Amino acid sequence: MSILKFGGSNFLDPEGYHRVARHIAQRRAAGENKIVVVVSAMKGETDSLKAQILEVNREASPSNLDAALAIGEMKSVYLLEAAVSRLGIPVTSLNGYRLGIRTNSDFGRASVESVDPRPIRSALQEHDVVIAAGAQAIDQSGRVTFLGRNASDLTAVVIASMLEKHACEIYSDVPGVYTGDPNLIAEAQLIPEIAYAAIAAMSRYGAKVLHHGAVEYAEKYGVTIICKALTNDGVVTGTTVTGHGNARSVTVARDAVVISFASVAERDNLRALLDQNGITTIDVEQNDRPGLCVMSDTDFAMRLVEGTGIPQSPSDQQW
């Protein structure tokens, strides 16, 4: 059995779903008779859904937002299922309601609390390929929850762990982890092997290859992550994430948010709250005022900020 995850960069247009379907067919032809495929939403779909909900209601509830954002991955699931089915392959799909993953009710970035492999195992008994929606699950009340931005990686690792598989493959627009963003730094070098802790730190500070929560879960449950890219010329294998290998890297935090405060005490109080929730921050100065740069899980972090009642400065900005 193989566990594959395809990010949104693989689905820029309908042809992307056909390309992934052909790859699945090739894997089956090579002898892999059971495959679980985790998919992300099409690139830009999550932002579009969020904007639509907030246009209707700027005060939409966190549970309402999570349910809306889950639509992106569900759409991707059904498009890929259609593409695989067209090739005559026995295939079915599972969304967050049926994956067997239960979380807490921290909408926006829910944490996995329990797993039940029976739904996926049952689906695999009747079909060769199961397409699973990434980044979503349900809480103990049966409400859909969102695991966070770019958290389809986490779904793939959780599924690999629950099915007692010790590896999963993550396909993105680059074949692995580099010493810098290869789209910005031509001299960036591919890192062939890297330790969980090293790539988790890179991810928290801006590297977009892997979701930090996925890496931390993989380390906890002993799941090796193999980073790959699906190109027109075939599959390119890049970085393997295990317990070994160290490297230095320059990261770019494109989605970081800077919050300005009236006092250092106010900043310190918020930093403590964010630290408790595993959110990476850096102290900064903004126009001679104390500031805090939020490096990870920015949507969830801003929801926590709103809950504190701390007024947000007009100088808040994204980097």
Side-chain angles (χ1 to χ4, degrees), residues 235-247:
V235 176
V236 179
T237 300
T239 304
T240 300
V241 182
T242 64
H244 309 285
N246 236 329

Side-chain angles (χ1 to χ4, degrees), residues 92-260:
T92 190
S93 59
L94 299 173
N95 58 36
Y97 291 103
R98 301 172 58 212
L99 276 175
I101 302 174
R102 294 264 181 172
T103 70
N104 61 15
S105 300
D106 289 342
F107 296 103
R109 198 204 60 180
S111 297
V112 176
E113 291 190 336
S114 64
V115 297
D116 179 1
R118 288 177 295 181
I120 297 180
R121 290 194 185 279
S122 177
L124 286 168
Q125 286 179 354
E126 299 182 18
H127 303 85
D128 292 348
V129 177
V130 173
I131 314 294
Q136 58 186 255
I138 56 173
D139 68 4
Q140 300 303 327
S141 298
R143 297 173 295 180
V144 68
T145 55
F146 191 53
L147 302 180
R149 288 298 185 105
N150 306 310
S152 293
D153 294 351
L154 175 57
T155 303
V157 172
V158 171
I159 289 175
S161 174
M162 76 161 74
L163 296 179
E164 300 179 336
K165 297 301 170 184
H166 300 296
C168 69
E169 303 172 22
I170 305 290
Y171 290 78
S172 65
D173 56 348
V174 292
V177 184
Y178 285 77
T179 54
D181 187 338
N183 296 314
L184 300 176
I185 304 172
E187 297 80 11
Q189 299 295 307
L190 181 69
I191 302 169
E193 185 176 19
I194 193 167
Y196 296 113
I199 184 57
M202 290 180 190
S203 177
R204 284 188 173 277
Y205 284 96
K208 296 300 183 183
V209 175
L210 291 172
H211 184 269
H212 61 83
V215 178
E216 290 158 5
Y217 198 97
E219 180 176 22
K220 182 177 180 179
Y221 291 98
V223 177
T224 297
I225 299 174
I226 305 166
C227 301
K228 296 185 175 185
L230 184 61
T231 71
N232 292 330
D233 298 324
V235 176
V236 179
T237 300
T239 304
T240 300
V241 182
T242 64
H244 309 285
N246 236 329
R248 294 181 178 180
S249 176
V250 176
T251 63
V252 179
R254 294 182 177 87
D255 301 319
V257 176
V258 178
I259 306 171
S260 293

